[in-house]
Each structure stands twice: as structure tokens, then as C-alpha cells.
Amino acid sequence: VIISHGMGTGRALHVSQAENLASHGYIVVALDHTYSTSATVFPKGRVTGMKTPLNIGNMNEVYTRVGSIWEQDIEY
């Protein structure tokens, strides 16, 4: 099972859901979409935050562009 968070949240929000699925034998992967999450922590300690500009006027454009990037994240 691949868990993909929503805009501005992060994988930490889904820990209990992932643990519940794993306890039933599922292999679970939760990822952060860098720059579209509240915080992404990299292995050497670097932290990035939300950088995706989003407002009511550009939501469709941003969701289309960012959705494509997220799809590539998941495929990787």
C-alpha cells in the first residue's frame, strides 16, 4: 500500500493508518512530497517546508502541475 498525503500535510499524519495496515500483513510505504508538505526531513538532517504557492485563484493550475510531480514521486 502506498500512502500519499494531501497538500500541506505529510506522511506523519497517516502513521496510525499505516501501522494498522501493517499489523494486518500489508507492506506499507508512506512518502512525503517535498515542497508540498508541512516538513520533509532528509537523512542528513536537512528540512524543507511547504513551498508550493496555493491560493483560490490558482488551485486548478497548481493541482494539475503538482499532481504530475506527485505521480512521478510515487512511480519512483
Side-chain angles (χ1 to χ4, degrees):
V1 175
I2 298 173
I3 296 177
S4 176
H5 64 78
M7 180 68 76
T9 64
R11 67 179 181 219
L13 181 67
H14 303 285
V15 169
S16 62
Q17 186 178 32
E19 288 177 346
N20 183 38
L21 289 166
S23 74
H24 293 297
Y26 291 94
I27 296 171
V28 182
V29 175
L31 61 142
D32 279 331
H33 300 289
T34 307
Y35 307 119
S36 297
T37 182
S38 51
T40 300
V41 181
F42 291 92
K44 292 185 179 180
R46 184 172 71 97
V47 179
T48 65
M50 177 77 168
K51 305 255 186 207
T52 304
L54 186 63
N55 61 56
I56 197 72
N58 72 353
M59 289 176 78
N60 288 334
E61 174 190 337
V62 170
Y63 287 153
T64 299
R65 182 174 40 85
V66 170
S68 175
I69 294 168
W70 287 13
E71 184 179 336
Q72 292 172 41
D73 287 347
I74 294 166
E75 286 176 354
Y76 177 78

Coordinates of all heavy atoms in Angstrom, one line a residue:
V1 N 0.9 -1.2 0.0 CA 0.0 0.0 0.0 C 0.9 1.2 0.0 O 1.8 1.3 0.8 CB -0.9 0.0 1.3 CG1 -1.7 1.3 1.3 CG2 -1.8 -1.2 1.3
I2 N 0.6 2.2 -0.9 CA 1.4 3.4 -0.9 C 0.4 4.5 -0.4 O -0.7 4.7 -0.9 CB 1.8 3.8 -2.3 CG1 2.7 2.7 -2.9 CG2 2.5 5.1 -2.4 CD1 3.1 2.9 -4.3
I3 N 0.9 5.2 0.7 CA 0.1 6.3 1.3 C 0.7 7.6 0.8 O 1.9 7.9 1.0 CB 0.2 6.2 2.8 CG1 -0.5 5.0 3.3 CG2 -0.5 7.5 3.4 CD1 -0.5 4.7 4.8
S4 N -0.1 8.4 0.1 CA 0.3 9.7 -0.4 C -0.5 10.8 0.3 O -1.8 10.8 0.2 CB 0.0 9.7 -1.9 OG 0.3 11.0 -2.5
H5 N 0.1 11.6 1.0 CA -0.6 12.7 1.8 C -1.2 13.7 0.9 O -1.0 13.8 -0.3 CB 0.4 13.3 2.8 CG 1.5 14.1 2.1 ND1 1.3 15.3 1.6 CD2 2.8 13.8 1.8 CE1 2.4 15.8 1.0 NE2 3.3 14.8 1.2
G6 N -2.0 14.6 1.5 CA -2.7 15.7 0.8 C -1.8 16.9 0.8 O -0.8 17.0 1.5
M7 N -2.2 17.9 0.1 CA -1.5 19.2 0.0 C -1.3 19.8 1.4 O -2.2 20.1 2.1 CB -2.2 20.2 -0.9 CG -1.5 21.5 -1.1 SD 0.1 21.4 -2.0 CE -0.5 21.1 -3.7
G8 N 0.0 20.1 1.8 CA 0.3 20.8 3.0 C 0.4 19.9 4.2 O 0.7 20.4 5.3
T9 N 0.0 18.7 4.1 CA 0.1 17.8 5.3 C 1.4 17.0 5.1 O 2.4 17.4 4.5 CB -1.1 16.9 5.4 OG1 -1.2 16.0 4.3 CG2 -2.4 17.7 5.5
G10 N 1.5 15.8 5.6 CA 2.7 15.0 5.5 C 2.4 13.5 5.9 O 1.3 13.2 6.4
R11 N 3.4 12.7 5.7 CA 3.2 11.3 6.0 C 3.0 11.0 7.5 O 2.3 10.0 7.8 CB 4.4 10.5 5.5 CG 5.7 10.7 6.2 CD 6.8 9.9 5.7 NE 8.0 10.3 6.5 CZ 9.2 10.4 6.0 NH1 9.4 10.1 4.8 NH2 10.2 10.7 6.8
A12 N 3.5 11.9 8.3 CA 3.3 11.7 9.8 C 1.8 11.6 10.2 O 1.4 11.0 11.1 CB 4.0 12.7 10.6
L13 N 1.0 12.3 9.4 CA -0.4 12.4 9.7 C -1.1 11.0 9.5 O -2.1 10.7 10.1 CB -1.1 13.3 8.7 CG -2.6 13.6 8.9 CD1 -2.9 14.2 10.2 CD2 -3.1 14.4 7.7
H14 N -0.4 10.1 8.8 CA -1.0 8.8 8.4 C -0.3 7.6 9.2 O -0.5 6.5 8.8 CB -1.0 8.6 6.9 CG -1.7 9.6 6.2 ND1 -3.0 9.7 6.1 CD2 -1.2 10.7 5.5 CE1 -3.4 10.8 5.4 NE2 -2.3 11.4 5.0
V15 N 0.4 7.9 10.2 CA 1.1 6.8 10.9 C 0.2 5.8 11.5 O 0.4 4.6 11.3 CB 2.0 7.4 12.1 CG1 2.6 6.4 13.0 CG2 3.1 8.3 11.5
S16 N -0.9 6.2 12.1 CA -1.7 5.1 12.7 C -2.4 4.3 11.6 O -2.6 3.1 11.8 CB -2.8 5.8 13.6 OG -3.6 6.7 12.9
Q17 N -2.8 4.9 10.5 CA -3.3 4.2 9.4 C -2.3 3.2 8.9 O -2.7 2.0 8.6 CB -3.8 5.2 8.3 CG -4.5 4.6 7.2 CD -4.9 5.7 6.2 OE1 -4.2 6.7 6.0 NE2 -6.1 5.5 5.6
A18 N -1.1 3.6 8.7 CA 0.0 2.7 8.2 C 0.2 1.6 9.1 O 0.4 0.4 8.7 CB 1.2 3.5 7.9
E19 N 0.3 1.9 10.4 CA 0.5 0.8 11.4 C -0.6 -0.2 11.4 O -0.3 -1.4 11.6 CB 0.7 1.5 12.8 CG 2.1 2.2 12.9 CD 2.2 2.8 14.3 OE1 1.2 3.0 15.0 OE2 3.4 3.2 14.6
N20 N -1.8 0.3 11.3 CA -3.0 -0.6 11.3 C -2.9 -1.5 10.1 O -3.1 -2.8 10.2 CB -4.3 0.2 11.3 CG -5.5 -0.7 11.4 OD1 -5.5 -1.8 12.1 ND2 -6.5 -0.4 10.7
L21 N -2.6 -1.0 8.9 CA -2.5 -1.8 7.7 C -1.3 -2.8 7.8 O -1.5 -4.0 7.5 CB -2.3 -0.9 6.5 CG -3.5 -0.1 6.0 CD1 -3.1 0.9 5.0 CD2 -4.5 -1.1 5.4
A22 N -0.2 -2.4 8.4 CA 1.0 -3.3 8.5 C 0.6 -4.4 9.5 O 1.1 -5.5 9.3 CB 2.2 -2.5 9.0
S23 N -0.1 -4.1 10.5 CA -0.5 -5.1 11.5 C -1.4 -6.2 10.9 O -1.5 -7.3 11.5 CB -1.2 -4.5 12.8 OG -2.5 -4.1 12.4
H24 N -1.9 -5.9 9.8 CA -2.8 -6.9 9.1 C -2.0 -7.6 7.9 O -2.6 -8.2 7.1 CB -4.0 -6.3 8.6 CG -5.0 -5.9 9.7 ND1 -5.6 -6.8 10.5 CD2 -5.4 -4.7 10.0 CE1 -6.3 -6.1 11.4 NE2 -6.3 -4.8 11.1
G25 N -0.7 -7.4 7.9 CA 0.2 -8.0 6.9 C 0.5 -7.3 5.7 O 1.2 -7.8 4.8
Y26 N 0.0 -6.1 5.6 CA 0.3 -5.3 4.4 C 1.7 -4.7 4.4 O 2.1 -4.3 5.5 CB -0.8 -4.2 4.2 CG -2.1 -4.7 3.8 CD1 -3.1 -4.9 4.8 CD2 -2.4 -4.9 2.5 CE1 -4.4 -5.3 4.4 CE2 -3.7 -5.4 2.1 CZ -4.6 -5.6 3.1 OH -5.9 -6.0 2.8
I27 N 2.3 -4.5 3.3 CA 3.6 -3.7 3.2 C 3.1 -2.3 2.9 O 2.4 -2.1 1.9 CB 4.5 -4.3 2.2 CG1 4.9 -5.7 2.5 CG2 5.7 -3.4 2.0 CD1 5.7 -6.4 1.4
V28 N 3.5 -1.4 3.8 CA 3.1 0.0 3.6 C 4.2 0.9 3.4 O 5.2 0.9 4.1 CB 2.3 0.4 4.9 CG1 1.8 1.8 4.8 CG2 1.2 -0.5 5.2
V29 N 4.1 1.8 2.4 CA 5.1 2.9 2.2 C 4.4 4.2 2.2 O 3.4 4.4 1.6 CB 5.8 2.7 0.8 CG1 6.7 3.8 0.5 CG2 6.5 1.3 0.7
A30 N 4.9 5.1 3.1 CA 4.3 6.5 3.1 C 5.4 7.4 2.7 O 6.5 7.3 3.2 CB 3.8 6.8 4.5
L31 N 5.1 8.3 1.8 CA 6.1 9.2 1.4 C 5.7 10.7 1.5 O 4.5 11.0 1.7 CB 6.4 9.0 -0.1 CG 5.3 9.2 -1.1 CD1 5.8 9.8 -2.4 CD2 4.7 7.8 -1.4
D32 N 6.7 11.6 1.6 CA 6.4 13.0 1.6 C 6.7 13.5 0.2 O 7.7 13.1 -0.4 CB 7.4 13.7 2.6 CG 6.9 13.6 4.0 OD1 5.7 13.5 4.3 OD2 7.7 13.7 4.9
H33 N 5.9 14.4 -0.2 CA 6.1 15.1 -1.5 C 6.8 16.4 -1.2 O 6.1 17.4 -0.7 CB 4.8 15.4 -2.2 CG 4.0 14.1 -2.5 ND1 4.4 13.2 -3.5 CD2 2.9 13.6 -2.0 CE1 3.6 12.2 -3.5 NE2 2.7 12.4 -2.6
T34 N 8.1 16.4 -1.3 CA 8.9 17.6 -1.0 C 8.3 18.9 -1.5 O 7.9 18.9 -2.7 CB 10.4 17.4 -1.5 OG1 10.8 16.1 -1.0 CG2 11.3 18.5 -1.0
Y35 N 8.3 19.9 -0.7 CA 7.8 21.2 -1.0 C 6.3 21.3 -1.1 O 5.8 22.4 -1.3 CB 8.5 21.8 -2.3 CG 10.0 21.8 -2.3 CD1 10.6 21.0 -3.3 CD2 10.7 22.4 -1.3 CE1 12.0 20.9 -3.3 CE2 12.1 22.4 -1.3 CZ 12.7 21.6 -2.3 OH 14.1 21.6 -2.3
S36 N 5.6 20.2 -0.9 CA 4.2 20.3 -0.8 C 3.7 19.7 0.5 O 2.5 19.3 0.6 CB 3.5 19.5 -2.0 OG 3.9 20.1 -3.2
T37 N 4.6 19.6 1.4 CA 4.2 19.0 2.8 C 4.6 20.0 3.8 O 5.4 21.0 3.6 CB 5.0 17.7 3.0 OG1 4.6 17.2 4.2 CG2 6.5 17.9 2.9
S38 N 4.1 19.8 5.0 CA 4.4 20.7 6.1 C 5.9 20.7 6.4 O 6.5 21.7 6.7 CB 3.6 20.4 7.4 OG 3.7 19.0 7.6
A39 N 6.6 19.6 6.3 CA 8.0 19.4 6.5 C 8.5 18.1 6.0 O 7.8 17.1 6.2 CB 8.4 19.6 8.0
T40 N 9.6 18.1 5.3 CA 10.2 16.9 4.8 C 11.6 16.9 5.4 O 12.4 17.9 5.3 CB 10.4 16.9 3.3 OG1 9.1 16.9 2.7 CG2 11.1 15.6 2.8
V41 N 12.0 15.8 6.1 CA 13.3 15.7 6.8 C 14.1 14.7 6.0 O 13.7 13.6 5.8 CB 13.2 15.2 8.2 CG1 14.5 15.1 8.9 CG2 12.2 16.2 9.0
F42 N 15.3 15.1 5.5 CA 16.1 14.2 4.7 C 17.1 13.5 5.6 O 17.3 13.9 6.8 CB 16.9 15.1 3.7 CG 16.0 15.6 2.6 CD1 15.4 16.9 2.7 CD2 15.7 14.8 1.5 CE1 14.6 17.3 1.7 CE2 14.9 15.3 0.5 CZ 14.3 16.5 0.6
P43 N 17.7 12.4 5.2 CA 18.6 11.6 6.0 C 19.7 12.3 6.7 O 20.1 12.0 7.8 CB 19.1 10.5 5.1 CG 18.1 10.4 4.0 CD 17.5 11.8 3.9
K44 N 20.3 13.4 6.1 CA 21.4 14.1 6.7 C 20.9 15.3 7.6 O 21.7 16.1 8.0 CB 22.3 14.6 5.6 CG 23.1 13.4 5.0 CD 24.1 13.9 4.0 CE 24.9 12.7 3.4 NZ 25.9 13.2 2.5
G45 N 19.6 15.3 7.8 CA 19.0 16.3 8.7 C 18.5 17.6 8.1 O 17.9 18.4 8.7
R46 N 18.6 17.8 6.8 CA 18.1 19.0 6.1 C 16.6 18.9 6.1 O 16.0 17.8 5.9 CB 18.6 19.0 4.7 CG 18.1 20.3 3.9 CD 18.8 20.5 2.6 NE 18.3 19.5 1.6 CZ 17.4 19.7 0.7 NH1 16.8 20.9 0.6 NH2 17.0 18.8 -0.2
V47 N 15.9 20.0 6.4 CA 14.5 20.1 6.5 C 13.9 21.1 5.5 O 14.5 22.2 5.4 CB 14.0 20.4 7.9 CG1 12.5 20.5 8.0 CG2 14.5 19.5 8.9
T48 N 12.9 20.7 4.7 CA 12.3 21.7 3.8 C 10.8 21.8 4.2 O 10.3 20.9 4.8 CB 12.3 21.2 2.3 OG1 11.6 20.0 2.2 CG2 13.7 21.0 1.9
G49 N 10.2 22.9 3.9 CA 8.8 23.1 4.3 C 8.0 23.3 3.1 O 8.4 23.1 1.9
M50 N 6.8 23.8 3.3 CA 5.8 24.0 2.2 C 6.2 25.2 1.4 O 6.4 26.3 1.9 CB 4.4 24.3 2.9 CG 3.3 24.6 1.9 SD 2.7 23.1 1.1 CE 1.3 23.8 0.3
K51 N 6.5 24.9 0.1 CA 6.9 26.0 -0.8 C 5.9 26.1 -2.0 O 6.1 27.0 -2.9 CB 8.3 25.7 -1.4 CG 9.3 25.4 -0.3 CD 10.2 26.6 -0.2 CE 11.4 26.3 0.7 NZ 11.9 27.4 1.4
T52 N 5.0 25.2 -2.1 CA 4.0 25.3 -3.2 C 3.1 26.4 -3.0 O 2.3 26.4 -2.1 CB 3.2 23.9 -3.3 OG1 4.2 22.9 -3.4 CG2 2.3 23.9 -4.5
P53 N 3.1 27.4 -3.9 CA 2.2 28.6 -3.8 C 0.8 28.1 -4.2 O 0.6 27.5 -5.2 CB 2.7 29.6 -4.8 CG 3.5 28.8 -5.8 CD 4.0 27.5 -5.1
L54 N -0.1 28.4 -3.3 CA -1.5 28.0 -3.5 C -2.5 29.0 -3.0 O -2.3 29.5 -1.8 CB -1.7 26.6 -2.7 CG -3.0 25.9 -2.9 CD1 -3.2 25.5 -4.4 CD2 -3.1 24.7 -2.0
N55 N -3.4 29.4 -3.8 CA -4.5 30.3 -3.4 C -5.7 29.9 -4.2 O -5.6 29.2 -5.2 CB -4.1 31.8 -3.5 CG -3.7 32.2 -4.9 OD1 -4.5 32.0 -5.9 ND2 -2.5 32.7 -5.1
I56 N -6.8 30.5 -3.9 CA -8.1 30.2 -4.6 C -8.0 30.4 -6.1 O -8.7 29.7 -6.9 CB -9.3 30.9 -3.9 CG1 -10.6 30.2 -4.3 CG2 -9.3 32.3 -4.3 CD1 -10.8 28.9 -3.6
G57 N -7.2 31.4 -6.5 CA -7.2 31.7 -7.9 C -6.3 30.8 -8.8 O -6.5 30.7 -10.0
N58 N -5.4 30.0 -8.2 CA -4.5 29.1 -9.0 C -4.6 27.7 -8.6 O -3.8 26.9 -9.0 CB -3.1 29.6 -8.8 CG -2.5 29.3 -7.5 OD1 -3.1 28.8 -6.6 ND2 -1.2 29.6 -7.4
M59 N -5.7 27.3 -7.9 CA -5.8 25.9 -7.4 C -5.8 24.9 -8.5 O -5.0 23.9 -8.5 CB -7.0 25.7 -6.5 CG -6.9 26.4 -5.2 SD -8.3 26.3 -4.2 CE -8.2 24.7 -3.6
N60 N -6.5 25.0 -9.6 CA -6.6 24.0 -10.6 C -5.3 23.9 -11.3 O -4.8 22.8 -11.6 CB -7.7 24.4 -11.6 CG -9.1 24.1 -11.1 OD1 -9.3 23.3 -10.2 ND2 -10.0 24.9 -11.6
E61 N -4.6 25.0 -11.6 CA -3.3 25.0 -12.3 C -2.3 24.3 -11.4 O -1.5 23.4 -11.9 CB -2.8 26.4 -12.6 CG -1.4 26.5 -13.1 CD -0.9 28.0 -13.2 OE1 -1.8 28.9 -13.2 OE2 0.3 28.1 -13.2
V62 N -2.2 24.7 -10.1 CA -1.3 24.1 -9.2 C -1.5 22.6 -9.0 O -0.6 21.8 -9.1 CB -1.3 24.8 -7.8 CG1 -0.5 24.0 -6.8 CG2 -0.7 26.2 -8.0
Y63 N -2.8 22.2 -8.8 CA -3.1 20.8 -8.6 C -2.7 19.9 -9.8 O -2.2 18.8 -9.7 CB -4.6 20.6 -8.3 CG -5.0 21.0 -6.9 CD1 -6.3 21.4 -6.6 CD2 -4.0 21.0 -5.9 CE1 -6.6 21.8 -5.3 CE2 -4.4 21.4 -4.6 CZ -5.7 21.7 -4.3 OH -6.0 22.1 -3.0
T64 N -2.9 20.5 -11.0 CA -2.5 19.8 -12.2 C -1.0 19.6 -12.3 O -0.5 18.5 -12.6 CB -3.1 20.5 -13.5 OG1 -4.5 20.6 -13.4 CG2 -2.6 19.8 -14.8
R65 N -0.3 20.7 -12.1 CA 1.2 20.6 -12.2 C 1.8 19.8 -11.1 O 2.6 18.9 -11.3 CB 1.7 22.1 -12.1 CG 3.2 22.1 -12.2 CD 3.7 23.6 -12.2 NE 3.1 24.5 -11.4 CZ 3.4 24.7 -10.1 NH1 4.4 24.0 -9.5 NH2 2.7 25.6 -9.3
V66 N 1.3 20.0 -9.8 CA 1.8 19.3 -8.7 C 1.4 17.8 -8.7 O 2.2 16.9 -8.4 CB 1.4 20.0 -7.4 CG1 1.7 19.1 -6.2 CG2 2.1 21.3 -7.2
G67 N 0.2 17.6 -9.2 CA -0.3 16.2 -9.3 C 0.6 15.3 -10.2 O 0.9 14.2 -9.9
S68 N 1.1 15.9 -11.3 CA 2.0 15.3 -12.2 C 3.3 14.9 -11.5 O 3.9 13.8 -11.6 CB 2.3 16.1 -13.4 OG 3.2 15.5 -14.2
I69 N 3.8 15.9 -10.7 CA 5.1 15.7 -9.9 C 4.9 14.6 -8.9 O 5.7 13.7 -8.7 CB 5.6 17.0 -9.3 CG1 5.9 18.0 -10.4 CG2 6.7 16.7 -8.3 CD1 6.2 19.4 -9.9
W70 N 3.8 14.6 -8.2 CA 3.5 13.6 -7.2 C 3.4 12.2 -7.8 O 3.9 11.2 -7.2 CB 2.2 13.9 -6.4 CG 2.2 15.0 -5.5 CD1 3.2 16.0 -5.4 CD2 1.3 15.4 -4.5 NE1 2.9 16.9 -4.4 CE2 1.7 16.6 -3.9 CE3 0.0 14.9 -4.2 CZ2 1.0 17.2 -2.9 CZ3 -0.7 15.5 -3.2 CH2 -0.2 16.6 -2.5
E71 N 2.8 12.1 -9.0 CA 2.7 10.9 -9.7 C 4.1 10.3 -10.0 O 4.4 9.1 -9.8 CB 1.9 11.1 -11.0 CG 1.7 9.8 -11.7 CD 0.9 10.1 -13.0 OE1 0.1 11.1 -13.1 OE2 1.0 9.2 -13.9
Q72 N 5.0 11.2 -10.4 CA 6.4 10.8 -10.6 C 7.1 10.3 -9.3 O 7.8 9.4 -9.3 CB 7.2 11.9 -11.3 CG 6.7 12.2 -12.7 CD 7.4 13.5 -13.3 OE1 8.5 13.7 -13.1 NE2 6.6 14.3 -13.9
D73 N 6.8 11.0 -8.2 CA 7.3 10.6 -6.9 C 6.9 9.2 -6.6 O 7.7 8.4 -6.2 CB 6.8 11.5 -5.8 CG 7.4 12.9 -5.8 OD1 8.4 13.2 -6.4 OD2 6.8 13.8 -5.0
I74 N 5.7 8.9 -6.8 CA 5.1 7.6 -6.5 C 5.7 6.5 -7.4 O 6.1 5.4 -7.0 CB 3.6 7.6 -6.5 CG1 3.1 8.5 -5.4 CG2 3.0 6.2 -6.4 CD1 1.6 8.9 -5.5
E75 N 5.8 6.8 -8.7 CA 6.3 5.9 -9.6 C 7.8 5.5 -9.3 O 8.2 4.4 -9.5 CB 6.2 6.4 -11.1 CG 4.9 6.4 -11.6 CD 4.8 7.0 -13.0 OE1 5.8 7.6 -13.5 OE2 3.7 7.0 -13.6
Y76 N 8.5 6.5 -8.8 CA 9.9 6.3 -8.5 C 10.1 5.3 -7.4 O 10.8 4.4 -7.4 CB 10.6 7.6 -8.1 CG 12.0 7.4 -7.6 CD1 13.0 7.3 -8.6 CD2 12.4 7.4 -6.3 CE1 14.4 7.1 -8.2 CE2 13.7 7.2 -5.9 CZ 14.7 7.1 -6.9 OH 16.0 6.9 -6.5

